Amino acid sequence: MDDNNPDLETFRKQWQEEVSARSTSKEQVYNSAKAYSSHERSERSKAKSALPPSYVLNDEAEGVDGISAQAYHDLEDKDDTRRLGVEGSKHPQSRQNLKDPQSALEHYEKAIEREDQGNLGDSLNLYRKAYRLDAGVDRLYKNKHFPPSSNKIKPTDSNPSNAPVTVPNPAHHSLDGPSAISTNNLVNSFSNTTVPPAAPAIEGTLPPPCPIAKIPSELLIEILLKTAIADVASFARLSIVCKRFAYLVATEDRIWERICRGHEYGFAAMHYIWKTSIAGNPLPTTLLDASDLSLDDALDISTLSLDPCTSFNNVRLPRSPILFLSDLYPSYRQMLRTRPRLRFNGCYISTVNYHRPGASNTSTNSTYTCPVHIVTYYRYLRFFRDGTCLSLLTTTEPADVVHYLTKENLEAHHNKESMLPSAIMRHALKGRWRLSGSLVYQQNGEKEGDVHIETEGVDAKYMYKMQLSLRSAGRVCGTRNNKLVWKGFWSYNRLTDDWATFTLRNDRAFFWSRVKSYAMG
């Protein structure tokens, strides 16, 4: 091969120039990349020195080829909420949420927060801790987050133009709500009201007629009077019909005076001296001393012929001192409710229960095999207007006794054997009753409110004497004088002139029960 070939030399020179140019460009690219990498490393070193120690990465984390690893610059804000100490100083709320609660209220608030998040287990534990620290923590939470003042709603119109004259001006009301109005003021606000008609059966039609709304007040009062004489309880219940009836029932004192002075339900039927013997025979006037006669004449008005259909305007009732109004009884309505009096349209029942040990088993000494007897019996008392009464002691329940507790059944079955249901009256005892004292006269120093009862004994030579006190059972505003409490029980021997006392260990008080078959007694 010829080395002096000019074409070959030309090709060789071109090839060498091309290789030299390629090597030069490659070295320049390498140098520029190396310079850029050095500059990047220096900048990162400066940034690392400004960051906290926990953010400085080791050199091993960098790529081996000199290219920096990928950085996520938004991690600082996200991770800052997960760090304690200096890193979490930018988020005080997060640090507060992680702080353990100390007080009972904090535990309670944390429990509610956990409950809202659905963590019922943690919520229950926090609730328990809160109530261990303070049993009233729920009230503290309510007062803190729901104060009473936040529920107050101011009236939209402080002085409406269409308000009736009986309504007080609400401008004087306090911001805490309307002030409580007394019962007397409430009743007085009904003075100008009328009897409202019934609502129409179908909306948009005319209401049904209401004739009683057109009756004058004078005639309406007469109707209420007849109702009160027939049944005072029905008269009192008329107050719940409408405001007009409520005002008349509460303020018409003439009706209440007629009831108090009448013998139907009032004190004309009350006796403060013995009126009959134990057997029920009227006492001769020769057996009453002069003081009793004068007291009887002043207090007892049962001899008057008061027709229920007769208006109180046409009857002059005696005004005995015992029925005068006083500070204790400011009105006749209050007198009828609170002054001690007996009721004749029902009977008084005492239910006695006690335990008695039975015969023990001699073969075993175990207390589990000893029987116990539960003894139950009843005492019944019924009072009559003539001063007599009936007393019965039996184990028969009231439903089988009260309807036969009459004088007729007593006379028919007294000490006689019979299979009739009314034969329960063969064990009944006749008796008499009287109330103790009065407001102006006290017999032998007795105070008003006691009931004295004398009945027959199991034998003719015995006589029983009971003393009970009239009380009220149930609600404060409910029925009055419906309870008889024991004060003493004695037995008198006519032959030996001796008194014996019965123990009242198991006996209970009498409670009045109305019996419709007795009517007005």
Side-chain angles (χ1 to χ4, degrees), residues 36 58 76 91 125 168 244 251 260 315 326 337 368 373 379 382 389 410 433 443 480 486-487:
Y36 176 78
N58 296 328
E76 180 179 0
H91 301 274
N125 294 331
R244 181 60 179 172
T251 60
C260 284
V315 178
S326 61
R337 281 180 52 81
Y368 296 100
H373 298 285
R379 290 184 182 272
R382 183 183 177 185
C389 65
L410 177 63
W433 65 271
Q443 195 172 14
R480 303 293 183 92
W486 283 99
K487 298 189 71 174

Side-chain angles (χ1 to χ4, degrees), residues 66-109:
I67 300 176
S68 62
Q70 185 177 3
Y72 299 92
H73 302 286
D74 59 341
L75 284 180
E76 180 179 0
D77 295 337
K78 296 181 180 179
D79 293 341
D80 197 24
T81 58
R82 305 174 188 173
R83 295 194 303 271
L84 298 176
V86 179
E87 291 81 1
S89 60
K90 297 182 180 180
H91 301 274
Q93 184 176 2
S94 302
R95 186 174 68 255
Q96 183 178 1
N97 293 336
L98 297 175
K99 186 177 65 174
D100 294 336
Q102 300 296 330
S103 63
L105 184 58
E106 292 178 357
H107 280 85
Y108 196 85
E109 294 173 343

Side-chain angles (χ1 to χ4, degrees), residues 20 24 110 113 117 135 218 230 239 269 281 331 382 399 417 419 446 450 461 471 485 489 510:
S20 299
T24 303
K110 198 71 174 179
E113 180 183 350
Q117 296 173 358
E218 294 77 7
S239 60
N281 301 320
S331 65
R382 183 183 177 185
E417 295 293 336
M419 300 301 294
E446 297 173 348
D450 290 347
K461 66 177 181 178
R471 304 289 178 83
V485 180
F489 193 12
F510 291 83

Side-chain angles (χ1 to χ4, degrees), residues 180-199:
I181 183 172
S182 63
T183 304
N184 293 333
N185 294 335
L186 180 63
V187 172
N188 292 333
S189 65
F190 302 155
S191 59
N192 296 329
T193 58
T194 58
V195 179

